[in-house]
Amino acid sequence: MGCPKKFSVSGGMGSALLSDVKRACDIISTLRRNLSKPVTAKIRLLDPNDPRPTLDFVRSLIQAGANAITIHGRIVGDESHTMARWTTLVEVVRQLKQTESVPIIVNGDLYTRADIREMKRRTGCDGIMLARPALYNISLFRKGQDETQDVDTTNKDDEIPLPTFQTTNHQGTYGYNSPLLHSRTSIVQEYISHCVRYRAHSKNAKYVVCEMMNSRRAPTNRVPFLNMEYETGQTIASVCKCKSLNDLVKIWDVTRTIPLPTTANNAKSNETEAAGDLHNYDDRYFLDHDKFRNERKEEVKKVLADEKKTNEDSPVAKRPKVTK
């Protein structure tokens, strides 16, 4: 219930449900009545500073039957490159853990295990959810030996203010350069090897690799701490030049156990991929995103204007209006 995109909210879905608690609860209760599986919900904060609207909404969902709730630390309208609102998020989760028994999961800007440990310590949350940090380095899920025990939530001495903690270049075992992390090059190589094994579409594979390599969606305060360089010099530009899985394999020097189709079958494989290619991926999305986005806006405006003119010129539009 957090997606703010037009295709979601225009249909009353996504973040539109955050302003319609009755419908949101009806969805939860209907699912609970008809499913034997747990029903969970993921929402955003409803207010940037006041925890009460979010608390009321979450408790309504729980009363409707939600088995677990995930809360993302941004409100509708917040861009991904702005810091998540940890101060409000922490207060919301603290209060929920005092009164509710269902699992409460936290999401938003957890880029290091230091972030994860601190969020668990301050809130007592039952778990964390990762999206962009997992794209940056999926091995972030690797735990240290002393993380097998529950985090102590009682020690509140010498707490660093949350905004300060969010802008700190964490070092050591749980920091940005943690020894627990695998190299990002090896992670991309492993991803591509899976793409080869399961015959992923090359454009889909290339898109995901480019998302793994760029930091444009990361919070501005985090970007200086995220190492975007690769040991063997791969760049987004070099990946964008790839036209096939074999091209990706070559520039990333991937060692694979499942071979690509033989040369004899390569043409047939490419024809099959092209025949099923319903998406138009434009490399400018990664190479010059701002310019690409502005050009797309102008293209959409032109399409809408053309459609309007076509509708106005249609025979139906020119028929005399019937008045009562």
Side-chain angles (χ1 to χ4, degrees), residues 29-73:
S29 59
T30 300
L31 290 172
R32 281 300 308 274
R33 287 196 305 271
N34 292 279
L35 295 176
S36 59
K37 302 292 185 181
V39 175
T40 68
K42 180 174 181 284
I43 70 167
R44 288 174 176 248
L45 293 173
L46 273 70
D47 188 278
N49 302 306
D50 186 359
R52 287 174 296 179
T54 308
L55 288 167
D56 292 342
F57 192 89
V58 170
R59 285 169 175 151
S60 295
L61 295 181
I62 293 173
Q63 189 172 3
N67 297 108
I69 303 290
T70 298
I71 306 172
H72 177 66

Short mmCIF file of all heavy atoms in Angstrom, two decimals, residues 29-73:
data_model
loop_
_atom_site.label_atom_id
_atom_site.label_comp_id
_atom_site.label_asym_id
_atom_site.label_seq_id
_atom_site.Cartn_x
_atom_site.Cartn_y
_atom_site.Cartn_z
N SER A 29 -9.42 -8.01 5.45
CA SER A 29 -10.39 -8.94 6.05
C SER A 29 -10.94 -9.92 5.01
O SER A 29 -11.15 -11.10 5.31
CB SER A 29 -11.54 -8.16 6.71
OG SER A 29 -12.20 -7.34 5.77
N THR A 30 -11.14 -9.46 3.77
CA THR A 30 -11.62 -10.35 2.71
C THR A 30 -10.59 -11.43 2.40
O THR A 30 -10.93 -12.61 2.23
CB THR A 30 -11.93 -9.55 1.43
OG1 THR A 30 -12.93 -8.57 1.72
CG2 THR A 30 -12.42 -10.46 0.31
N LEU A 31 -9.32 -11.03 2.32
CA LEU A 31 -8.26 -12.00 2.08
C LEU A 31 -8.16 -13.02 3.21
O LEU A 31 -8.00 -14.22 2.98
CB LEU A 31 -6.92 -11.28 1.90
CG LEU A 31 -6.75 -10.46 0.61
CD1 LEU A 31 -5.46 -9.65 0.66
CD2 LEU A 31 -6.75 -11.37 -0.62
N ARG A 32 -8.28 -12.55 4.43
CA ARG A 32 -8.19 -13.46 5.59
C ARG A 32 -9.33 -14.48 5.58
O ARG A 32 -9.14 -15.65 5.93
CB ARG A 32 -8.20 -12.67 6.89
CG ARG A 32 -6.88 -12.02 7.28
CD ARG A 32 -5.75 -13.04 7.45
NE ARG A 32 -6.08 -14.14 8.34
CZ ARG A 32 -5.93 -14.10 9.66
NH1 ARG A 32 -5.42 -13.01 10.24
NH2 ARG A 32 -6.25 -15.12 10.40
N ARG A 33 -10.51 -14.04 5.16
CA ARG A 33 -11.66 -14.96 5.14
C ARG A 33 -11.51 -16.04 4.07
O ARG A 33 -12.06 -17.12 4.20
CB ARG A 33 -12.96 -14.19 4.88
CG ARG A 33 -13.45 -13.36 6.05
CD ARG A 33 -14.91 -12.96 5.85
NE ARG A 33 -15.12 -12.25 4.59
CZ ARG A 33 -15.02 -10.93 4.45
NH1 ARG A 33 -14.70 -10.19 5.50
NH2 ARG A 33 -15.23 -10.37 3.28
N ASN A 34 -10.77 -15.74 3.02
CA ASN A 34 -10.74 -16.63 1.87
C ASN A 34 -9.41 -17.33 1.63
O ASN A 34 -9.29 -18.12 0.70
CB ASN A 34 -11.12 -15.85 0.61
CG ASN A 34 -12.57 -15.39 0.62
OD1 ASN A 34 -13.46 -16.17 0.31
ND2 ASN A 34 -12.79 -14.14 1.00
N LEU A 35 -8.41 -17.04 2.44
CA LEU A 35 -7.11 -17.66 2.28
C LEU A 35 -6.69 -18.40 3.54
O LEU A 35 -7.04 -18.01 4.65
CB LEU A 35 -6.05 -16.59 1.95
CG LEU A 35 -6.19 -15.84 0.62
CD1 LEU A 35 -5.12 -14.76 0.53
CD2 LEU A 35 -6.10 -16.79 -0.56
N SER A 36 -5.91 -19.45 3.34
CA SER A 36 -5.35 -20.17 4.48
C SER A 36 -3.93 -19.71 4.78
O SER A 36 -3.32 -20.15 5.75
CB SER A 36 -5.36 -21.68 4.20
OG SER A 36 -4.60 -21.97 3.03
N LYS A 37 -3.38 -18.82 3.93
CA LYS A 37 -2.03 -18.30 4.10
C LYS A 37 -2.06 -17.00 4.91
O LYS A 37 -3.07 -16.29 4.94
CB LYS A 37 -1.39 -18.03 2.75
CG LYS A 37 -1.31 -19.24 1.83
CD LYS A 37 -0.35 -20.28 2.36
CE LYS A 37 -0.18 -21.42 1.37
NZ LYS A 37 0.73 -22.47 1.88
N PRO A 38 -0.93 -16.64 5.55
CA PRO A 38 -0.86 -15.36 6.26
C PRO A 38 -1.04 -14.19 5.30
O PRO A 38 -0.60 -14.25 4.14
CB PRO A 38 0.55 -15.37 6.87
CG PRO A 38 0.94 -16.80 6.91
CD PRO A 38 0.29 -17.45 5.73
N VAL A 39 -1.66 -13.14 5.77
CA VAL A 39 -1.87 -11.93 4.97
C VAL A 39 -1.08 -10.78 5.62
O VAL A 39 -1.27 -10.49 6.81
CB VAL A 39 -3.36 -11.56 4.89
CG1 VAL A 39 -3.56 -10.23 4.16
CG2 VAL A 39 -4.14 -12.67 4.20
N THR A 40 -0.20 -10.17 4.87
CA THR A 40 0.62 -9.09 5.40
C THR A 40 0.40 -7.82 4.58
O THR A 40 -0.14 -7.87 3.48
CB THR A 40 2.12 -9.45 5.37
OG1 THR A 40 2.56 -9.53 4.00
CG2 THR A 40 2.36 -10.79 6.05
N ALA A 41 0.85 -6.69 5.12
CA ALA A 41 0.71 -5.42 4.41
C ALA A 41 1.99 -4.61 4.57
O ALA A 41 2.66 -4.68 5.61
CB ALA A 41 -0.49 -4.63 4.94
N LYS A 42 2.33 -3.85 3.54
CA LYS A 42 3.47 -2.94 3.59
C LYS A 42 2.94 -1.53 3.31
O LYS A 42 2.25 -1.32 2.32
CB LYS A 42 4.53 -3.32 2.56
CG LYS A 42 5.75 -2.39 2.55
CD LYS A 42 6.82 -2.95 1.60
CE LYS A 42 8.06 -2.07 1.59
NZ LYS A 42 7.90 -0.82 0.82
N ILE A 43 3.26 -0.59 4.19
CA ILE A 43 2.76 0.77 4.05
C ILE A 43 3.90 1.78 4.17
O ILE A 43 5.04 1.41 4.46
CB ILE A 43 1.69 1.09 5.12
CG1 ILE A 43 2.34 1.19 6.51
CG2 ILE A 43 0.58 0.05 5.11
CD1 ILE A 43 1.47 1.79 7.57
N ARG A 44 3.57 3.04 3.95
CA ARG A 44 4.49 4.15 4.22
C ARG A 44 4.05 4.87 5.48
O ARG A 44 2.92 4.66 5.97
CB ARG A 44 4.47 5.15 3.06
CG ARG A 44 5.14 4.68 1.80
CD ARG A 44 4.95 5.68 0.68
NE ARG A 44 5.69 5.27 -0.51
CZ ARG A 44 6.74 5.91 -1.00
NH1 ARG A 44 7.18 7.01 -0.40
NH2 ARG A 44 7.35 5.48 -2.07
N LEU A 45 4.92 5.72 5.99
CA LEU A 45 4.50 6.63 7.06
C LEU A 45 3.41 7.54 6.50
O LEU A 45 3.46 7.94 5.34
CB LEU A 45 5.68 7.49 7.53
CG LEU A 45 6.82 6.75 8.26
CD1 LEU A 45 7.98 7.72 8.50
CD2 LEU A 45 6.35 6.15 9.57
N LEU A 46 2.44 7.88 7.34
CA LEU A 46 1.35 8.75 6.89
C LEU A 46 1.61 10.22 7.18
O LEU A 46 0.99 11.09 6.58
CB LEU A 46 0.02 8.32 7.52
CG LEU A 46 -0.75 7.24 6.74
CD1 LEU A 46 -0.04 5.90 6.81
CD2 LEU A 46 -2.18 7.14 7.23
N ASP A 47 2.52 10.49 8.12
CA ASP A 47 2.83 11.87 8.47
C ASP A 47 4.34 11.98 8.70
O ASP A 47 4.94 11.06 9.28
CB ASP A 47 2.07 12.29 9.73
CG ASP A 47 2.20 13.78 10.03
OD1 ASP A 47 3.22 14.18 10.63
OD2 ASP A 47 1.28 14.54 9.66
N PRO A 48 4.97 13.06 8.26
CA PRO A 48 6.43 13.16 8.39
C PRO A 48 6.92 13.27 9.82
O PRO A 48 8.05 12.86 10.12
CB PRO A 48 6.77 14.42 7.59
CG PRO A 48 5.52 15.22 7.58
CD PRO A 48 4.41 14.22 7.55
N ASN A 49 6.08 13.81 10.71
CA ASN A 49 6.53 14.06 12.08
C ASN A 49 5.66 13.42 13.15
O ASN A 49 6.17 12.98 14.19
CB ASN A 49 6.59 15.57 12.33
CG ASN A 49 7.52 16.28 11.34
OD1 ASN A 49 8.68 15.92 11.21
ND2 ASN A 49 6.99 17.29 10.66
N ASP A 50 4.37 13.37 12.92
CA ASP A 50 3.43 12.87 13.91
C ASP A 50 3.23 11.36 13.73
O ASP A 50 2.76 10.92 12.67
CB ASP A 50 2.10 13.60 13.77
CG ASP A 50 1.11 13.23 14.86
OD1 ASP A 50 1.45 12.38 15.73
OD2 ASP A 50 0.00 13.78 14.86
N PRO A 51 3.56 10.54 14.71
CA PRO A 51 3.39 9.09 14.56
C PRO A 51 1.94 8.62 14.63
O PRO A 51 1.63 7.52 14.18
CB PRO A 51 4.20 8.52 15.73
CG PRO A 51 4.23 9.59 16.75
CD PRO A 51 4.21 10.90 16.00
N ARG A 52 1.03 9.46 15.16
CA ARG A 52 -0.33 9.00 15.42
C ARG A 52 -1.10 8.53 14.19
O ARG A 52 -1.76 7.47 14.25
CB ARG A 52 -1.12 10.09 16.16
CG ARG A 52 -0.68 10.26 17.62
CD ARG A 52 -1.37 11.43 18.26
NE ARG A 52 -1.00 12.70 17.62
CZ ARG A 52 -1.48 13.88 17.98
NH1 ARG A 52 -2.37 13.96 18.98
NH2 ARG A 52 -1.09 14.98 17.37
N PRO A 53 -1.07 9.25 13.05
CA PRO A 53 -1.81 8.73 11.89
C PRO A 53 -1.34 7.35 11.44
O PRO A 53 -2.17 6.50 11.09
CB PRO A 53 -1.54 9.80 10.82
CG PRO A 53 -1.24 11.05 11.58
CD PRO A 53 -0.50 10.59 12.80
N THR A 54 -0.05 7.12 11.47
CA THR A 54 0.48 5.81 11.08
C THR A 54 0.09 4.75 12.09
O THR A 54 -0.30 3.63 11.73
CB THR A 54 2.01 5.87 10.94
OG1 THR A 54 2.38 6.94 10.08
CG2 THR A 54 2.55 4.57 10.38
N LEU A 55 0.18 5.08 13.38
CA LEU A 55 -0.21 4.13 14.42
C LEU A 55 -1.68 3.73 14.28
O LEU A 55 -2.02 2.54 14.35
CB LEU A 55 0.03 4.75 15.80
CG LEU A 55 1.49 4.88 16.24
CD1 LEU A 55 1.59 5.78 17.47
CD2 LEU A 55 2.08 3.51 16.54
N ASP A 56 -2.55 4.71 14.05
CA ASP A 56 -3.97 4.42 13.90
C ASP A 56 -4.23 3.53 12.69
O ASP A 56 -5.04 2.59 12.75
CB ASP A 56 -4.77 5.72 13.77
CG ASP A 56 -4.77 6.54 15.05
OD1 ASP A 56 -4.46 5.97 16.12
OD2 ASP A 56 -5.08 7.75 14.98
N PHE A 57 -3.54 3.81 11.58
CA PHE A 57 -3.74 3.04 10.36
C PHE A 57 -3.27 1.60 10.55
O PHE A 57 -3.98 0.65 10.19
CB PHE A 57 -2.98 3.70 9.21
CG PHE A 57 -3.33 3.17 7.86
CD1 PHE A 57 -4.38 3.72 7.13
CD2 PHE A 57 -2.62 2.11 7.30
CE1 PHE A 57 -4.71 3.22 5.87
CE2 PHE A 57 -2.95 1.61 6.05
CZ PHE A 57 -3.99 2.18 5.33
N VAL A 58 -2.09 1.43 11.13
CA VAL A 58 -1.55 0.09 11.35
C VAL A 58 -2.45 -0.72 12.27
O VAL A 58 -2.75 -1.90 12.01
CB VAL A 58 -0.12 0.15 11.93
CG1 VAL A 58 0.35 -1.23 12.38
CG2 VAL A 58 0.84 0.72 10.90
N ARG A 59 -2.91 -0.11 13.34
CA ARG A 59 -3.78 -0.83 14.28
C ARG A 59 -5.10 -1.23 13.64
O ARG A 59 -5.67 -2.28 13.96
CB ARG A 59 -3.99 0.02 15.54
CG ARG A 59 -2.74 0.03 16.43
CD ARG A 59 -2.79 1.06 17.52
NE ARG A 59 -1.60 0.92 18.39
CZ ARG A 59 -1.05 1.92 19.07
NH1 ARG A 59 -1.57 3.15 18.98
NH2 ARG A 59 0.02 1.71 19.83
N SER A 60 -5.59 -0.41 12.72
CA SER A 60 -6.81 -0.77 11.99
C SER A 60 -6.57 -2.00 11.11
O SER A 60 -7.40 -2.90 11.02
CB SER A 60 -7.28 0.40 11.14
OG SER A 60 -7.68 1.49 11.95
N LEU A 61 -5.40 -2.04 10.45
CA LEU A 61 -5.07 -3.19 9.61
C LEU A 61 -4.94 -4.45 10.45
O LEU A 61 -5.38 -5.53 10.04
CB LEU A 61 -3.77 -2.94 8.85
CG LEU A 61 -3.75 -1.81 7.81
CD1 LEU A 61 -2.37 -1.72 7.16
CD2 LEU A 61 -4.82 -2.02 6.75
N ILE A 62 -4.32 -4.32 11.62
CA ILE A 62 -4.16 -5.48 12.51
C ILE A 62 -5.52 -5.97 12.98
O ILE A 62 -5.79 -7.18 13.02
CB ILE A 62 -3.25 -5.12 13.69
CG1 ILE A 62 -1.82 -4.85 13.20
CG2 ILE A 62 -3.24 -6.24 14.74
CD1 ILE A 62 -0.89 -4.31 14.27
N GLN A 63 -6.40 -5.04 13.33
CA GLN A 63 -7.74 -5.41 13.78
C GLN A 63 -8.51 -6.09 12.64
O GLN A 63 -9.35 -6.98 12.90
CB GLN A 63 -8.49 -4.17 14.25
CG GLN A 63 -9.81 -4.48 14.92
CD GLN A 63 -10.45 -3.25 15.54
OE1 GLN A 63 -9.94 -2.15 15.42
NE2 GLN A 63 -11.57 -3.44 16.22
N ALA A 64 -8.21 -5.71 11.40
CA ALA A 64 -8.88 -6.32 10.25
C ALA A 64 -8.35 -7.71 9.95
O ALA A 64 -8.95 -8.45 9.17
CB ALA A 64 -8.73 -5.43 9.01
N GLY A 65 -7.20 -8.06 10.56
CA GLY A 65 -6.69 -9.42 10.41
C GLY A 65 -5.29 -9.55 9.85
O GLY A 65 -4.83 -10.66 9.59
N ALA A 66 -4.58 -8.44 9.64
CA ALA A 66 -3.22 -8.52 9.10
C ALA A 66 -2.32 -9.32 10.04
O ALA A 66 -2.32 -9.09 11.25
CB ALA A 66 -2.65 -7.12 8.90
N ASN A 67 -1.55 -10.25 9.48
CA ASN A 67 -0.67 -11.10 10.28
C ASN A 67 0.70 -10.49 10.53
O ASN A 67 1.44 -10.94 11.40
CB ASN A 67 -0.49 -12.45 9.58
CG ASN A 67 -1.79 -13.21 9.45
OD1 ASN A 67 -2.32 -13.34 8.35
ND2 ASN A 67 -2.33 -13.71 10.55
N ALA A 68 1.07 -9.49 9.74
CA ALA A 68 2.34 -8.77 9.92
C ALA A 68 2.27 -7.48 9.12
O ALA A 68 1.54 -7.38 8.13
CB ALA A 68 3.53 -9.61 9.45
N ILE A 69 3.03 -6.48 9.58
CA ILE A 69 3.04 -5.17 8.92
C ILE A 69 4.48 -4.74 8.68
O ILE A 69 5.32 -4.82 9.57
CB ILE A 69 2.35 -4.09 9.78
CG1 ILE A 69 0.90 -4.50 10.11
CG2 ILE A 69 2.40 -2.73 9.09
CD1 ILE A 69 -0.05 -4.46 8.94
N THR A 70 4.75 -4.27 7.46
CA THR A 70 6.03 -3.64 7.15
C THR A 70 5.80 -2.15 6.95
O THR A 70 4.85 -1.75 6.27
CB THR A 70 6.65 -4.23 5.86
OG1 THR A 70 6.89 -5.62 6.06
CG2 THR A 70 7.95 -3.52 5.51
N ILE A 71 6.67 -1.33 7.55
CA ILE A 71 6.52 0.12 7.44
C ILE A 71 7.76 0.70 6.77
O ILE A 71 8.88 0.51 7.24
CB ILE A 71 6.34 0.77 8.83
CG1 ILE A 71 5.17 0.10 9.57
CG2 ILE A 71 6.08 2.27 8.68
CD1 ILE A 71 5.03 0.55 11.01
N HIS A 72 7.54 1.41 5.68
CA HIS A 72 8.62 2.10 4.98
C HIS A 72 8.74 3.51 5.54
O HIS A 72 7.74 4.20 5.74
CB HIS A 72 8.33 2.16 3.48
CG HIS A 72 9.37 2.90 2.69
ND1 HIS A 72 10.66 2.46 2.56
CD2 HIS A 72 9.31 4.08 2.03
CE1 HIS A 72 11.35 3.31 1.83
NE2 HIS A 72 10.55 4.31 1.49
N GLY A 73 9.99 3.95 5.76
CA GLY A 73 10.22 5.20 6.48
C GLY A 73 10.14 6.47 5.65
O GLY A 73 10.88 7.43 5.92
#
